[in-house]
Amino acid sequence: QVQLVESGGGLVQAGGSLRLSCAASGSIFSLNGMAWYRQAPGKQRELVASITSGGSTNYADSVKGRFTMSRDNAKNTAYLQMNSLKPEDTAVYYCLATIAGPPDYYLMDYWGKGTLVTVSS
């Protein structure tokens, strides 16, 4: 069984910073790509940032230059450093990871339960 647990959300003023973490645990044979999504009230879930197993990153235009995604493969953990936060960044942030594990070792996508980020103006 694989679990993804996000942490680091909270309330911050506009212009502030937060660092989100996403830790994968359980029966993990290989941890491939990871990504952060967010969903604001009344809106669809959207991709914020992604990172390959080799560390290549991709960002939504709305967060480029402000957010940085990284990962620690030894800890099976991904991070999202969020700077210069804006009220429109307010959302539940979800972690997605593509993982292969027993018994079939097929790559599967796993979601965390999310962490709430609230940015006040």
Side-chain angles (χ1 to χ4, degrees):
Q1 193 76 350
V2 172
Q3 282 190 322
L4 290 182
V5 178
E6 302 102 331
S7 61
L11 174 63
V12 64
Q13 287 189 331
S17 298
L18 283 174
R19 189 193 194 207
L20 305 183
S21 298
C22 170
S25 62
S27 301
I28 298 172
F29 177 72
S30 69
L31 176 56
N32 287 31
M34 301 182 76
W36 287 98
Y37 284 74
R38 67 185 180 188
Q39 187 166 19
K43 294 188 176 181
Q44 288 188 330
R45 192 173 295 190
E46 62 174 357
L47 177 65
V48 175
S50 63
I51 190 167
T52 67
S53 57
S56 296
T57 54
N58 190 44
Y59 298 95
D61 287 343
S62 59
V63 306
K64 280 181 181 176
R66 299 189 298 122
F67 290 10
T68 301
M69 187 172 184
S70 60
R71 63 190 286 169
D72 184 334
N73 290 331
K75 296 182 179 179
N76 288 338
T77 300
Y79 306 95
L80 186 67
Q81 178 67 44
M82 305 185 295
N83 299 328
S84 303
L85 282 161
K86 305 175 181 179
E88 51 263 44
D89 294 318
T90 295
V92 178
Y93 284 70
Y94 297 91
C95 180
L96 170 69
T98 303
I99 295 171
D104 298 321
Y105 298 94
Y106 294 148
L107 287 171
M108 292 182 60
D109 287 340
Y110 293 86
W111 288 92
K113 294 183 179 180
T115 185
L116 177 62
V117 171
T118 304
V119 184
S120 62
S121 57

